[in-house]
Amino acid sequence: MSLLSVPRDPLAPAPPAVPGAPEMAQKRKAEAVSPVKNFFAGGAGGVCLILAGQPLDTIKVNMQTQARPLPGQAPLYKNTLDCFHKILAQKGLRGLYKGMGAPLAGISPVMGVTFFGYGLGKRLQLNGPNDEQRLTPSQVFAAGMLAGVCSTTIVAPVERVKCLLQVQVHSPVVKYAGSVDCALQLYAARGVRGLYKGTLLTLMRDVPATGMYFMSYEWIKEFLTPEGKSVSQLSTVRILLAGGLAGVCNWVVAIPMDVLKSRFQIAPEGRYKGFADVLRKVLREEGPRGLYKGFAAAILRAFPANAACFFGFEVSLKFLNWLVPVE
């Protein structure tokens, strides 16, 4: 009990009941922030994200990393649809899922840590887990940025392996037999540094983009919530819509840094000195448009993948709240 609280006289009449108070209390419990529950629910959402979005992610990476054609020579891929047709023709449906082993194995901890960081960021700005305070958009953005910092520790090596396997689809030499073999070869060649190549670029991509991701999701959910209803009562269709649009907002912010990260992570040692060198060479060789290679594939992937992710997250979180109710 707080030192400033005044005990109520047991003989005094009870205060009048506030209409709807039990329902509102139950809603607050359902909306309570639990970073631990966020971790497990986020992991489930991440699996949904990979299964829904991997084919277009493969296309995005191949579009971003294709070599610049020589004068008079046509590019390997004319556009997103051409890239899809060529991968499908050469490698079949399995080619679109190349490199999925690493992200699928890592996605549960990645998204678990992401949603844990987000829940922690929200919790740090509240007075308690059941606090009625509503966070401002800037506070939600800050919580999302913390999520981006937390997730980068796992995302960077997973992305490194994924990108190398995805671009290997069209290589005449098969260097890596799979995700584990790729990770082992990278570690054998340069130790932990080999696995974490591109970490700074991953951080520069994910911190602002993840802030936008969660801020837009929360805002769109609020916008779609009917008057007098709780956000926790949103229909499946509205959750899918909010999650899909949040994914699009995320990639609008992330794509330039994602291009630079992908280029840096697949490049031979010594080709780029760092972030500034990658940026300078991309702008010199391809102009500003080079920073948006794979944009169409990223946006096409963003909606279904993130709709699936947030739906999986919300369903899992409701199950966890049912399984372990908030006191």
Side-chain angles (χ1 to χ4, degrees), residues 81-127:
L81 191 60
D82 182 52
C83 183
F84 169 75
H85 284 154
K86 285 181 176 174
I87 292 175
L88 202 61
Q90 294 180 23
K91 299 288 183 178
L93 192 61
R94 290 182 64 184
L96 293 171
Y97 283 89
K98 196 71 176 174
M100 190 177 76
L104 193 59
I107 195 63
S108 286
V110 165
M111 294 308 291
V113 169
T114 300
F115 278 88
F116 174 86
Y118 176 57
L120 181 62
K122 290 173 71 178
R123 186 77 169 267
L124 290 172
Q125 298 176 87
L126 294 171
N127 295 324

Side-chain angles (χ1 to χ4, degrees), residues 309-323:
C309 177
F310 274 112
F311 178 70
F313 168 75
E314 296 286 1
V315 170
S316 301
L317 192 59
K318 284 184 178 180
F319 172 74
L320 289 171
N321 283 334
W322 171 81
L323 189 66

